[in-house]
Amino acid sequence: MFINIFLLSIVSALFAGGLCGAVGFHVQRFGVTTMSFGIAHAALAGAALGLLLGVDSTMSAMLLALIIALFMGIVLIRISYGRELISMAIFSASSAIALFAIYVSSAKVLATTSVAIILWGSLLAITFEKLVLLITLSILFSLYIVACRVHIDAILYDKKLAEAEGVNVQLHTLILLFFTGAVIAITLKLTGGFLVFTLLYNPVATALQIAKSARKQLVLSSILGSISAITGLIVSYIIDLPVGATIALTSTTILIITCITRISIEKIKWKINKLS
Amino acid sequence: MEVIKLENIYVAYSGSDKPAIMDINLSIELGELVLITGPNGAGKTTLIETCLGLLKPLRGRAFLLGINTKSPRIIRARRQCSYVPQNFMKPPYESYTVKHVIKLGLASFKLPFEPINKNEEERIKEVANLLGIKDLLNKPMGMLSGGQQQRVIIARALVRKPKVLFLDEPFSSLDHDARIHVAKIIKSYVEEYRASAIIISHDINPVMELVDRVIEMENGRIIRIRSRV
């Protein structure tokens, strides 16, 4: 029984990490990192409200994350002045709503592990249905980036130029924010609400240190996301630590090691060039 | 046919009280080659970006190919235009190849899953040949000089066969001979395809003889319009 649950968590971590890495790459290149940060915390608020209202917290997390993604993709994207600050205000408000919902929840809810799961994550939180949802989302996102590769590439190369040429940048940004909201809502219980965005950002940050081409960065972000999630999951099980925090520290460690290695290689190359 | 019509336009950037351009009334016909000139901060780039609907006017109405730039249908009008921005330079780590960058100019015409066809491939080679960058097609953009990168962006603009060409300082990184060459390419494109071109340039020499009208701007206003006799 336990082996089944553990295997389920490992496969979920593989897909969650890979999908977060791929979505995170596009989030970074589309320049909507702060918005995704706001969406991540809206998902946390949604999950906490789900606990309070006694409904499925993944679905409530997804609902609120998608509402905020819709707001950001339609309204906030048109505001050029102070957009980042408004996103941060949404982040603060969402965190406050999450804490408020947990605070006013009944003693019965607080006594369960549900609260801990949405805050810190748990390998026990992943069910077969959630894994199916995660795989479906991964397939949909892969289809989207393959189908619209040329439009997405045009935006990644130069967003303003793409817009001037008639590429529907707003629509693609909205689609990306929707995927961000959905992937965060599903991954939330594995990594915990406060750390879910580390799987979006850290693998991309590491990939940017290693690869030069956008395509390699995308593939690498995805692979690094999966490696971070699986390693974090196994380490957290062995040492008995919170899953989310362990995944976050694993991906951060990979990033630090990559940065140090890259700087060292550049220094050695520079010295060799100087000598020759 | 009017390709651009601006009626009493005022545009201000977010967070700024002062309009970047004001009291602009302008009409550009199909087939016209227009030069916009003026000192830094005159509002030339703001004017072009307003025509494309990238900036929305505070007051007044702007039409591109008959479509109000505030309408969601402006995307359709933009598909018939090309833009060569002032800031086109990519850093050394930019790995998109020249061919890929020119191909991206065709992105807005493509449906999901639709690949670049043979005719378009031929057109890319043709335009690259015209601008003298055929040998650079497989090189990464980041490895090119400023002048080469500028030619690539002009090639990307031409591969789209636009009705309206917006060129913001298209000669800024080119040497004297290349400026004359590119100016002639733009002129012959306008004549061959009966398109319009709006060029912003500090250096009026390469195009002065070729344009139909010169619009002079200062402090966000059009101060003079001269037509070629």
Side-chain angles (χ1 to χ4, degrees), chain A residues 173-222:
Chain A
T173 308
L174 182 63
I175 292 171
L176 180 63
L177 292 175
F178 254 80
F179 272 114
T180 308
V183 70
I184 286 171
I186 299 173
T187 317
L188 191 91
K189 285 188 174 177
L190 183 71
T191 55
F194 281 119
L195 294 167
V196 66
F197 49 85
T198 54
L199 267 184
L200 278 181
Y201 305 152
N202 287 2
V204 189
T206 311
L208 293 181
Q209 301 297 318
I210 303 168
K212 282 184 179 174
S213 87
R215 210 150 284 190
K216 282 181 188 163
Q217 286 169 358
L218 168 61
V219 173
L220 209 56
S221 295
S222 214

mmCIF file of all heavy atoms in Angstrom, chain A residues 173-222:
data_model
loop_
_atom_site.group_PDB
_atom_site.id
_atom_site.type_symbol
_atom_site.label_atom_id
_atom_site.label_comp_id
_atom_site.label_asym_id
_atom_site.label_seq_id
_atom_site.Cartn_x
_atom_site.Cartn_y
_atom_site.Cartn_z
ATOM 1 N N THR A 173 -0.799 35.436 -23.526
ATOM 2 C CA THR A 173 -0.470 35.715 -22.122
ATOM 3 C C THR A 173 -1.572 35.170 -21.220
ATOM 4 O O THR A 173 -1.288 34.554 -20.181
ATOM 5 C CB THR A 173 -0.290 37.242 -21.903
ATOM 6 O OG1 THR A 173 0.641 37.726 -22.860
ATOM 7 C CG2 THR A 173 0.211 37.548 -20.504
ATOM 8 N N LEU A 174 -2.812 35.370 -21.644
ATOM 9 C CA LEU A 174 -3.950 34.872 -20.866
ATOM 10 C C LEU A 174 -3.902 33.341 -20.772
ATOM 11 O O LEU A 174 -4.099 32.771 -19.687
ATOM 12 C CB LEU A 174 -5.260 35.341 -21.513
ATOM 13 C CG LEU A 174 -6.546 34.944 -20.800
ATOM 14 C CD1 LEU A 174 -6.613 35.555 -19.413
ATOM 15 C CD2 LEU A 174 -7.769 35.377 -21.599
ATOM 16 N N ILE A 175 -3.636 32.682 -21.896
ATOM 17 C CA ILE A 175 -3.555 31.211 -21.897
ATOM 18 C C ILE A 175 -2.458 30.759 -20.939
ATOM 19 O O ILE A 175 -2.648 29.839 -20.133
ATOM 20 C CB ILE A 175 -3.292 30.675 -23.332
ATOM 21 C CG1 ILE A 175 -4.506 30.923 -24.223
ATOM 22 C CG2 ILE A 175 -2.955 29.182 -23.311
ATOM 23 C CD1 ILE A 175 -4.288 30.632 -25.706
ATOM 24 N N LEU A 176 -1.306 31.436 -21.006
ATOM 25 C CA LEU A 176 -0.184 31.070 -20.139
ATOM 26 C C LEU A 176 -0.538 31.257 -18.659
ATOM 27 O O LEU A 176 -0.238 30.397 -17.824
ATOM 28 C CB LEU A 176 1.050 31.909 -20.508
ATOM 29 C CG LEU A 176 2.296 31.643 -19.683
ATOM 30 C CD1 LEU A 176 2.779 30.210 -19.862
ATOM 31 C CD2 LEU A 176 3.412 32.609 -20.050
ATOM 32 N N LEU A 177 -1.217 32.367 -18.349
ATOM 33 C CA LEU A 177 -1.604 32.619 -16.953
ATOM 34 C C LEU A 177 -2.617 31.567 -16.479
ATOM 35 O O LEU A 177 -2.581 31.146 -15.316
ATOM 36 C CB LEU A 177 -2.172 34.032 -16.797
ATOM 37 C CG LEU A 177 -1.157 35.178 -16.979
ATOM 38 C CD1 LEU A 177 -1.855 36.531 -16.929
ATOM 39 C CD2 LEU A 177 -0.063 35.134 -15.918
ATOM 40 N N PHE A 178 -3.477 31.121 -17.380
ATOM 41 C CA PHE A 178 -4.443 30.066 -17.051
ATOM 42 C C PHE A 178 -3.709 28.762 -16.723
ATOM 43 O O PHE A 178 -4.010 28.110 -15.723
ATOM 44 C CB PHE A 178 -5.394 29.846 -18.239
ATOM 45 C CG PHE A 178 -6.756 30.402 -17.993
ATOM 46 C CD1 PHE A 178 -7.010 31.751 -18.146
ATOM 47 C CD2 PHE A 178 -7.795 29.589 -17.588
ATOM 48 C CE1 PHE A 178 -8.269 32.269 -17.906
ATOM 49 C CE2 PHE A 178 -9.054 30.099 -17.344
ATOM 50 C CZ PHE A 178 -9.298 31.440 -17.505
ATOM 51 N N PHE A 179 -2.747 28.407 -17.575
ATOM 52 C CA PHE A 179 -1.975 27.190 -17.304
ATOM 53 C C PHE A 179 -1.220 27.338 -15.973
ATOM 54 O O PHE A 179 -1.130 26.388 -15.209
ATOM 55 C CB PHE A 179 -0.981 26.915 -18.440
ATOM 56 C CG PHE A 179 -1.571 26.106 -19.561
ATOM 57 C CD1 PHE A 179 -1.749 26.651 -20.820
ATOM 58 C CD2 PHE A 179 -1.959 24.787 -19.363
ATOM 59 C CE1 PHE A 179 -2.299 25.907 -21.860
ATOM 60 C CE2 PHE A 179 -2.513 24.029 -20.389
ATOM 61 C CZ PHE A 179 -2.683 24.593 -21.647
ATOM 62 N N THR A 180 -0.695 28.543 -15.723
ATOM 63 C CA THR A 180 0.034 28.785 -14.473
ATOM 64 C C THR A 180 -0.888 28.534 -13.283
ATOM 65 O O THR A 180 -0.511 27.827 -12.338
ATOM 66 C CB THR A 180 0.572 30.243 -14.441
ATOM 67 O OG1 THR A 180 1.288 30.490 -15.640
ATOM 68 C CG2 THR A 180 1.471 30.486 -13.246
ATOM 69 N N GLY A 181 -2.078 29.113 -13.344
ATOM 70 C CA GLY A 181 -3.053 28.932 -12.257
ATOM 71 C C GLY A 181 -3.399 27.471 -12.055
ATOM 72 O O GLY A 181 -3.427 26.969 -10.921
ATOM 73 N N ALA A 182 -3.634 26.763 -13.164
ATOM 74 C CA ALA A 182 -4.049 25.349 -13.072
ATOM 75 C C ALA A 182 -2.929 24.484 -12.507
ATOM 76 O O ALA A 182 -3.151 23.667 -11.606
ATOM 77 C CB ALA A 182 -4.461 24.858 -14.449
ATOM 78 N N VAL A 183 -1.701 24.680 -13.019
ATOM 79 C CA VAL A 183 -0.593 23.826 -12.555
ATOM 80 C C VAL A 183 -0.271 24.105 -11.082
ATOM 81 O O VAL A 183 0.008 23.175 -10.314
ATOM 82 C CB VAL A 183 0.657 23.965 -13.473
ATOM 83 C CG1 VAL A 183 1.333 25.302 -13.354
ATOM 84 C CG2 VAL A 183 1.669 22.873 -13.155
ATOM 85 N N ILE A 184 -0.374 25.359 -10.692
ATOM 86 C CA ILE A 184 -0.101 25.701 -9.291
ATOM 87 C C ILE A 184 -1.151 25.058 -8.376
ATOM 88 O O ILE A 184 -0.818 24.478 -7.338
ATOM 89 C CB ILE A 184 -0.056 27.234 -9.091
ATOM 90 C CG1 ILE A 184 1.256 27.782 -9.667
ATOM 91 C CG2 ILE A 184 -0.172 27.612 -7.610
ATOM 92 C CD1 ILE A 184 1.333 29.284 -9.722
ATOM 93 N N ALA A 185 -2.408 25.155 -8.786
ATOM 94 C CA ALA A 185 -3.491 24.598 -7.962
ATOM 95 C C ALA A 185 -3.318 23.094 -7.753
ATOM 96 O O ALA A 185 -3.540 22.582 -6.648
ATOM 97 C CB ALA A 185 -4.834 24.890 -8.614
ATOM 98 N N ILE A 186 -2.878 22.387 -8.805
ATOM 99 C CA ILE A 186 -2.732 20.929 -8.682
ATOM 100 C C ILE A 186 -1.469 20.568 -7.889
ATOM 101 O O ILE A 186 -1.465 19.618 -7.119
ATOM 102 C CB ILE A 186 -2.704 20.262 -10.081
ATOM 103 C CG1 ILE A 186 -4.017 20.552 -10.814
ATOM 104 C CG2 ILE A 186 -2.509 18.754 -9.963
ATOM 105 C CD1 ILE A 186 -4.029 20.093 -12.248
ATOM 106 N N THR A 187 -0.419 21.361 -8.082
ATOM 107 C CA THR A 187 0.864 21.055 -7.426
ATOM 108 C C THR A 187 0.884 21.492 -5.963
ATOM 109 O O THR A 187 1.716 21.030 -5.183
ATOM 110 C CB THR A 187 2.022 21.748 -8.192
ATOM 111 O OG1 THR A 187 1.799 21.581 -9.584
ATOM 112 C CG2 THR A 187 3.364 21.163 -7.853
ATOM 113 N N LEU A 188 -0.037 22.385 -5.640
ATOM 114 C CA LEU A 188 -0.079 23.008 -4.303
ATOM 115 C C LEU A 188 0.056 22.020 -3.141
ATOM 116 O O LEU A 188 0.833 22.239 -2.212
ATOM 117 C CB LEU A 188 -1.395 23.774 -4.179
ATOM 118 C CG LEU A 188 -1.530 24.705 -2.994
ATOM 119 C CD1 LEU A 188 -1.047 26.083 -3.380
ATOM 120 C CD2 LEU A 188 -2.995 24.805 -2.583
ATOM 121 N N LYS A 189 -0.665 20.915 -3.223
ATOM 122 C CA LYS A 189 -0.671 19.980 -2.087
ATOM 123 C C LYS A 189 0.613 19.169 -1.993
ATOM 124 O O LYS A 189 0.910 18.588 -0.957
ATOM 125 C CB LYS A 189 -1.868 19.044 -2.198
ATOM 126 C CG LYS A 189 -3.168 19.744 -1.830
ATOM 127 C CD LYS A 189 -4.296 18.747 -1.761
ATOM 128 C CE LYS A 189 -5.555 19.407 -1.252
ATOM 129 N NZ LYS A 189 -6.688 18.472 -1.251
ATOM 130 N N LEU A 190 1.353 19.122 -3.099
ATOM 131 C CA LEU A 190 2.625 18.391 -3.059
ATOM 132 C C LEU A 190 3.718 19.260 -2.436
ATOM 133 O O LEU A 190 4.497 18.817 -1.594
ATOM 134 C CB LEU A 190 3.026 17.968 -4.482
ATOM 135 C CG LEU A 190 4.292 17.142 -4.600
ATOM 136 C CD1 LEU A 190 4.068 15.743 -4.043
ATOM 137 C CD2 LEU A 190 4.730 17.034 -6.055
ATOM 138 N N THR A 191 3.760 20.535 -2.872
ATOM 139 C CA THR A 191 4.854 21.412 -2.427
ATOM 140 C C THR A 191 4.454 22.361 -1.307
ATOM 141 O O THR A 191 5.311 22.945 -0.660
ATOM 142 C CB THR A 191 5.343 22.266 -3.609
ATOM 143 O OG1 THR A 191 4.221 22.959 -4.130
ATOM 144 C CG2 THR A 191 5.968 21.422 -4.684
ATOM 145 N N GLY A 192 3.163 22.552 -1.103
ATOM 146 C CA GLY A 192 2.710 23.516 -0.104
ATOM 147 C C GLY A 192 2.536 24.880 -0.734
ATOM 148 O O GLY A 192 3.281 25.261 -1.642
ATOM 149 N N GLY A 193 1.544 25.605 -0.246
ATOM 150 C CA GLY A 193 1.163 26.881 -0.852
ATOM 151 C C GLY A 193 2.216 27.962 -0.796
ATOM 152 O O GLY A 193 2.275 28.817 -1.679
ATOM 153 N N PHE A 194 3.041 27.954 0.243
ATOM 154 C CA PHE A 194 4.010 29.038 0.376
ATOM 155 C C PHE A 194 5.253 28.831 -0.489
ATOM 156 O O PHE A 194 6.052 29.726 -0.657
ATOM 157 C CB PHE A 194 4.414 29.236 1.843
ATOM 158 C CG PHE A 194 3.377 29.999 2.621
ATOM 159 C CD1 PHE A 194 2.743 29.426 3.707
ATOM 160 C CD2 PHE A 194 3.024 31.288 2.261
ATOM 161 C CE1 PHE A 194 1.770 30.129 4.410
ATOM 162 C CE2 PHE A 194 2.060 31.996 2.949
ATOM 163 C CZ PHE A 194 1.434 31.418 4.032
ATOM 164 N N LEU A 195 5.445 27.603 -0.988
ATOM 165 C CA LEU A 195 6.674 27.322 -1.735
ATOM 166 C C LEU A 195 6.428 26.827 -3.149
ATOM 167 O O LEU A 195 7.366 26.508 -3.858
ATOM 168 C CB LEU A 195 7.508 26.281 -0.962
ATOM 169 C CG LEU A 195 8.042 26.775 0.383
ATOM 170 C CD1 LEU A 195 8.551 25.613 1.200
ATOM 171 C CD2 LEU A 195 9.140 27.793 0.193
ATOM 172 N N VAL A 196 5.155 26.813 -3.561
ATOM 173 C CA VAL A 196 4.821 26.222 -4.862
ATOM 174 C C VAL A 196 5.542 26.918 -6.028
ATOM 175 O O VAL A 196 5.942 26.286 -7.000
ATOM 176 C CB VAL A 196 3.286 26.192 -5.078
ATOM 177 C CG1 VAL A 196 2.705 27.569 -5.192
ATOM 178 C CG2 VAL A 196 2.916 25.361 -6.294
ATOM 179 N N PHE A 197 5.749 28.230 -5.891
ATOM 180 C CA PHE A 197 6.360 28.968 -6.999
ATOM 181 C C PHE A 197 7.848 28.681 -7.171
ATOM 182 O O PHE A 197 8.424 29.024 -8.198
ATOM 183 C CB PHE A 197 6.130 30.477 -6.839
ATOM 184 C CG PHE A 197 6.470 30.975 -5.484
ATOM 185 C CD1 PHE A 197 7.762 31.316 -5.172
ATOM 186 C CD2 PHE A 197 5.496 31.074 -4.508
ATOM 187 C CE1 PHE A 197 8.080 31.762 -3.906
ATOM 188 C CE2 PHE A 197 5.812 31.510 -3.239
ATOM 189 C CZ PHE A 197 7.100 31.853 -2.935
ATOM 190 N N THR A 198 8.495 28.035 -6.158
ATOM 191 C CA THR A 198 9.927 27.737 -6.328
ATOM 192 C C THR A 198 10.131 26.762 -7.489
ATOM 193 O O THR A 198 11.135 26.825 -8.179
ATOM 194 C CB THR A 198 10.553 27.121 -5.059
ATOM 195 O OG1 THR A 198 9.786 25.991 -4.692
ATOM 196 C CG2 THR A 198 10.606 28.098 -3.918
ATOM 197 N N LEU A 199 9.151 25.883 -7.695
ATOM 198 C CA LEU A 199 9.259 24.941 -8.829
ATOM 199 C C LEU A 199 9.037 25.653 -10.162
ATOM 200 O O LEU A 199 9.421 25.158 -11.210
ATOM 201 C CB LEU A 199 8.246 23.806 -8.685
ATOM 202 C CG LEU A 199 8.730 22.530 -7.991
ATOM 203 C CD1 LEU A 199 7.646 21.473 -8.011
ATOM 204 C CD2 LEU A 199 10.008 21.980 -8.580
ATOM 205 N N LEU A 200 8.426 26.829 -10.110
ATOM 206 C CA LEU A 200 8.233 27.608 -11.344
ATOM 207 C C LEU A 200 9.504 28.386 -11.687
ATOM 208 O O LEU A 200 9.827 28.554 -12.847
ATOM 209 C CB LEU A 200 7.093 28.617 -11.165
ATOM 210 C CG LEU A 200 5.645 28.186 -11.327
ATOM 211 C CD1 LEU A 200 4.738 29.383 -11.126
ATOM 212 C CD2 LEU A 200 5.368 27.601 -12.698
ATOM 213 N N TYR A 201 10.169 28.895 -10.648
ATOM 214 C CA TYR A 201 11.288 29.823 -10.903
ATOM 215 C C TYR A 201 12.667 29.163 -10.888
ATOM 216 O O TYR A 201 13.504 29.441 -11.755
ATOM 217 C CB TYR A 201 11.289 30.968 -9.891
ATOM 218 C CG TYR A 201 9.991 31.746 -9.809
ATOM 219 C CD1 TYR A 201 9.608 32.389 -8.642
ATOM 220 C CD2 TYR A 201 9.148 31.850 -10.913
ATOM 221 C CE1 TYR A 201 8.417 33.109 -8.570
ATOM 222 C CE2 TYR A 201 7.962 32.563 -10.845
ATOM 223 C CZ TYR A 201 7.604 33.183 -9.675
ATOM 224 O OH TYR A 201 6.436 33.890 -9.605
ATOM 225 N N ASN A 202 12.949 28.339 -9.865
ATOM 226 C CA ASN A 202 14.320 27.828 -9.710
ATOM 227 C C ASN A 202 14.828 27.003 -10.897
ATOM 228 O O ASN A 202 15.959 27.215 -11.336
ATOM 229 C CB ASN A 202 14.436 27.022 -8.411
ATOM 230 C CG ASN A 202 14.419 27.919 -7.186
ATOM 231 O OD1 ASN A 202 14.283 29.136 -7.310
ATOM 232 N ND2 ASN A 202 14.530 27.344 -6.011
ATOM 233 N N PRO A 203 14.042 26.071 -11.440
ATOM 234 C CA PRO A 203 14.555 25.313 -12.596
ATOM 235 C C PRO A 203 14.894 26.218 -13.794
ATOM 236 O O PRO A 203 15.889 25.994 -14.476
ATOM 237 C CB PRO A 203 13.408 24.361 -12.946
ATOM 238 C CG PRO A 203 12.609 24.247 -11.698
ATOM 239 C CD PRO A 203 12.705 25.576 -11.040
ATOM 240 N N VAL A 204 14.091 27.255 -14.006
ATOM 241 C CA VAL A 204 14.366 28.184 -15.122
ATOM 242 C C VAL A 204 15.656 28.945 -14.849
ATOM 243 O O VAL A 204 16.510 29.089 -15.741
ATOM 244 C CB VAL A 204 13.215 29.207 -15.302
ATOM 245 C CG1 VAL A 204 13.401 30.006 -16.563
ATOM 246 C CG2 VAL A 204 11.876 28.518 -15.318
ATOM 247 N N ALA A 205 15.786 29.422 -13.604
ATOM 248 C CA ALA A 205 17.002 30.170 -13.242
ATOM 249 C C ALA A 205 18.239 29.304 -13.478
ATOM 250 O O ALA A 205 19.262 29.783 -13.977
ATOM 251 C CB ALA A 205 16.917 30.623 -11.785
ATOM 252 N N THR A 206 18.152 28.023 -13.161
ATOM 253 C CA THR A 206 19.283 27.101 -13.364
ATOM 254 C C THR A 206 19.509 26.871 -14.863
ATOM 255 O O THR A 206 20.654 26.922 -15.331
ATOM 256 C CB THR A 206 18.997 25.747 -12.667
ATOM 257 O OG1 THR A 206 18.572 26.013 -11.325
ATOM 258 C CG2 THR A 206 20.234 24.869 -12.638
ATOM 259 N N ALA A 207 18.425 26.647 -15.597
ATOM 260 C CA ALA A 207 18.544 26.390 -17.044
ATOM 261 C C ALA A 207 19.196 27.569 -17.761
ATOM 262 O O ALA A 207 19.991 27.379 -18.684
ATOM 263 C CB ALA A 207 17.165 26.111 -17.636
ATOM 264 N N LEU A 208 18.874 28.785 -17.335
ATOM 265 C CA LEU A 208 19.449 29.977 -17.974
ATOM 266 C C LEU A 208 20.966 30.039 -17.780
ATOM 267 O O LEU A 208 21.681 30.612 -18.588
ATOM 268 C CB LEU A 208 18.816 31.256 -17.411
ATOM 269 C CG LEU A 208 17.340 31.507 -17.728
ATOM 270 C CD1 LEU A 208 16.873 32.815 -17.123
ATOM 271 C CD2 LEU A 208 17.084 31.530 -19.224
ATOM 272 N N GLN A 209 21.448 29.418 -16.670
ATOM 273 C CA GLN A 209 22.893 29.400 -16.410
ATOM 274 C C GLN A 209 23.612 28.425 -17.335
ATOM 275 O O GLN A 209 24.790 28.566 -17.612
ATOM 276 C CB GLN A 209 23.179 28.973 -14.957
ATOM 277 C CG GLN A 209 22.555 29.843 -13.894
ATOM 278 C CD GLN A 209 23.087 31.253 -13.922
ATOM 279 O OE1 GLN A 209 24.281 31.472 -14.087
ATOM 280 N NE2 GLN A 209 22.197 32.223 -13.796
ATOM 281 N N ILE A 210 22.879 27.400 -17.795
ATOM 282 C CA ILE A 210 23.523 26.320 -18.558
ATOM 283 C C ILE A 210 23.341 26.490 -20.072
ATOM 284 O O ILE A 210 24.314 26.446 -20.829
ATOM 285 C CB ILE A 210 22.954 24.937 -18.121
ATOM 286 C CG1 ILE A 210 23.152 24.748 -16.608
ATOM 287 C CG2 ILE A 210 23.638 23.810 -18.898
ATOM 288 C CD1 ILE A 210 22.379 23.563 -16.031
ATOM 289 N N ALA A 211 22.094 26.658 -20.502
ATOM 290 C CA ALA A 211 21.812 26.626 -21.951
ATOM 291 C C ALA A 211 21.657 28.025 -22.537
ATOM 292 O O ALA A 211 21.249 28.956 -21.835
ATOM 293 C CB ALA A 211 20.539 25.830 -22.189
ATOM 294 N N LYS A 212 21.996 28.140 -23.819
ATOM 295 C CA LYS A 212 21.883 29.435 -24.494
ATOM 296 C C LYS A 212 20.605 29.525 -25.321
ATOM 297 O O LYS A 212 19.950 30.556 -25.333
ATOM 298 C CB LYS A 212 23.096 29.660 -25.400
ATOM 299 C CG LYS A 212 24.340 30.087 -24.636
ATOM 300 C CD LYS A 212 25.461 30.397 -25.576
ATOM 301 C CE LYS A 212 26.698 30.835 -24.799
ATOM 302 N NZ LYS A 212 27.854 31.012 -25.688
ATOM 303 N N SER A 213 20.269 28.451 -26.032
ATOM 304 C CA SER A 213 19.101 28.548 -26.910
ATOM 305 C C SER A 213 17.809 28.371 -26.115
ATOM 306 O O SER A 213 17.766 27.657 -25.109
ATOM 307 C CB SER A 213 19.181 27.499 -28.020
ATOM 308 O OG SER A 213 18.633 26.284 -27.594
ATOM 309 N N ALA A 214 16.766 29.053 -26.589
ATOM 310 C CA ALA A 214 15.474 29.032 -25.891
ATOM 311 C C ALA A 214 14.935 27.604 -25.794
ATOM 312 O O ALA A 214 14.398 27.213 -24.763
ATOM 313 C CB ALA A 214 14.489 29.924 -26.636
ATOM 314 N N ARG A 215 15.098 26.840 -26.875
ATOM 315 C CA ARG A 215 14.569 25.482 -26.888
ATOM 316 C C ARG A 215 15.263 24.615 -25.831
ATOM 317 O O ARG A 215 14.623 23.869 -25.106
ATOM 318 C CB ARG A 215 14.740 24.881 -28.285
ATOM 319 C CG ARG A 215 13.682 23.899 -28.625
ATOM 320 C CD ARG A 215 13.398 23.848 -30.099
ATOM 321 N NE ARG A 215 12.600 24.985 -30.542
ATOM 322 C CZ ARG A 215 12.067 25.075 -31.751
ATOM 323 N NH1 ARG A 215 12.242 24.141 -32.623
ATOM 324 N NH2 ARG A 215 11.342 26.117 -32.087
ATOM 325 N N LYS A 216 16.605 24.741 -25.755
ATOM 326 C CA LYS A 216 17.350 23.953 -24.754
ATOM 327 C C LYS A 216 16.966 24.399 -23.343
ATOM 328 O O LYS A 216 16.866 23.583 -22.435
ATOM 329 C CB LYS A 216 18.861 24.131 -24.979
ATOM 330 C CG LYS A 216 19.393 23.293 -26.129
ATOM 331 C CD LYS A 216 20.886 23.491 -26.270
ATOM 332 C CE LYS A 216 21.392 22.822 -27.537
ATOM 333 N NZ LYS A 216 22.720 23.304 -27.926
ATOM 334 N N GLN A 217 16.783 25.714 -23.176
ATOM 335 C CA GLN A 217 16.398 26.229 -21.853
ATOM 336 C C GLN A 217 15.053 25.646 -21.428
ATOM 337 O O GLN A 217 14.869 25.272 -20.269
ATOM 338 C CB GLN A 217 16.308 27.759 -21.897
ATOM 339 C CG GLN A 217 17.667 28.441 -21.931
ATOM 340 C CD GLN A 217 17.567 29.931 -22.243
ATOM 341 O OE1 GLN A 217 16.487 30.461 -22.475
ATOM 342 N NE2 GLN A 217 18.697 30.594 -22.250
ATOM 343 N N LEU A 218 14.137 25.544 -22.377
ATOM 344 C CA LEU A 218 12.805 25.004 -22.078
ATOM 345 C C LEU A 218 12.896 23.535 -21.645
ATOM 346 O O LEU A 218 12.335 23.145 -20.600
ATOM 347 C CB LEU A 218 11.898 25.146 -23.316
ATOM 348 C CG LEU A 218 10.571 24.405 -23.308
ATOM 349 C CD1 LEU A 218 9.684 24.883 -22.170
ATOM 350 C CD2 LEU A 218 9.823 24.589 -24.631
ATOM 351 N N VAL A 219 13.626 22.743 -22.429
ATOM 352 C CA VAL A 219 13.747 21.310 -22.115
ATOM 353 C C VAL A 219 14.461 21.129 -20.770
ATOM 354 O O VAL A 219 14.021 20.350 -19.914
ATOM 355 C CB VAL A 219 14.521 20.583 -23.257
ATOM 356 C CG1 VAL A 219 14.798 19.141 -22.880
ATOM 357 C CG2 VAL A 219 13.720 20.644 -24.549
ATOM 358 N N LEU A 220 15.524 21.896 -20.589
ATOM 359 C CA LEU A 220 16.307 21.791 -19.356
ATOM 360 C C LEU A 220 15.491 22.221 -18.122
ATOM 361 O O LEU A 220 15.573 21.591 -17.062
ATOM 362 C CB LEU A 220 17.564 22.665 -19.500
ATOM 363 C CG LEU A 220 18.791 22.239 -18.723
ATOM 364 C CD1 LEU A 220 19.193 20.813 -19.061
ATOM 365 C CD2 LEU A 220 19.961 23.173 -19.002
ATOM 366 N N SER A 221 14.704 23.271 -18.267
ATOM 367 C CA SER A 221 13.852 23.734 -17.151
ATOM 368 C C SER A 221 12.922 22.611 -16.720
ATOM 369 O O SER A 221 12.722 22.365 -15.519
ATOM 370 C CB SER A 221 12.971 24.912 -17.584
ATOM 371 O OG SER A 221 13.737 25.997 -17.893
ATOM 372 N N SER A 222 12.372 21.935 -17.721
ATOM 373 C CA SER A 222 11.439 20.855 -17.454
ATOM 374 C C SER A 222 12.139 19.691 -16.738
ATOM 375 O O SER A 222 11.630 19.173 -15.735
ATOM 376 C CB SER A 222 10.885 20.391 -18.799
ATOM 377 O OG SER A 222 9.588 19.988 -18.661
#
